[in-house]
Amino acid sequence: MKKAYLVKAVWDEEAKVWSAEGINFGGLATWAETIPQLTDKLKIMVPELLEAGEELEASEPEIPITLLMETAIIAHRPHA
């Protein structure tokens, strides 16, 4: 099985953006306003970073990326 490259995305409530960084590889730091925008950026940035760092084998046509998203929500207790 191919190695999955892990990316952690955290919602920044103040800036209203998702910020992302690589977990098991270095050099990735980016942000986007939506998850679809972020995934589009990751599909370009991750292969470029891995290729620049010579972490990819020439025979590797696909690069699996696992996106882990973190955000906080507030739930309210129902009134009795």
Side-chain angles (χ1 to χ4, degrees):
M1 179 178 249
K2 292 181 181 180
K3 173 184 178 179
Y5 294 92
L6 305 177
V7 175
K8 180 180 179 181
V10 177
W11 178 249
D12 182 331
E13 183 62 34
E14 187 175 316
K16 304 290 188 213
V17 296
W18 288 95
S19 61
E21 62 182 26
I23 294 176
N24 61 348
F25 64 101
L28 177 67
T30 191
W31 61 271
E33 293 178 353
T34 67
I35 290 296
Q37 290 172 341
L38 184 61
T39 58
D40 288 345
K41 288 177 86 170
L42 294 174
K43 288 177 184 179
I44 295 167
M45 293 179 75
V46 171
E48 287 177 351
L49 285 168
L50 296 174
E51 193 170 276
E54 299 180 359
E55 295 183 45
L56 290 178
E57 294 183 23
S59 62
E60 206 170 351
E62 296 180 341
I63 301 158
I65 301 168
T66 300
L67 181 59
L68 308 170
M69 297 178 289
E70 179 181 311
T71 188
I73 60 171
I74 297 173
H76 296 277
R77 294 172 49 177
H79 294 103

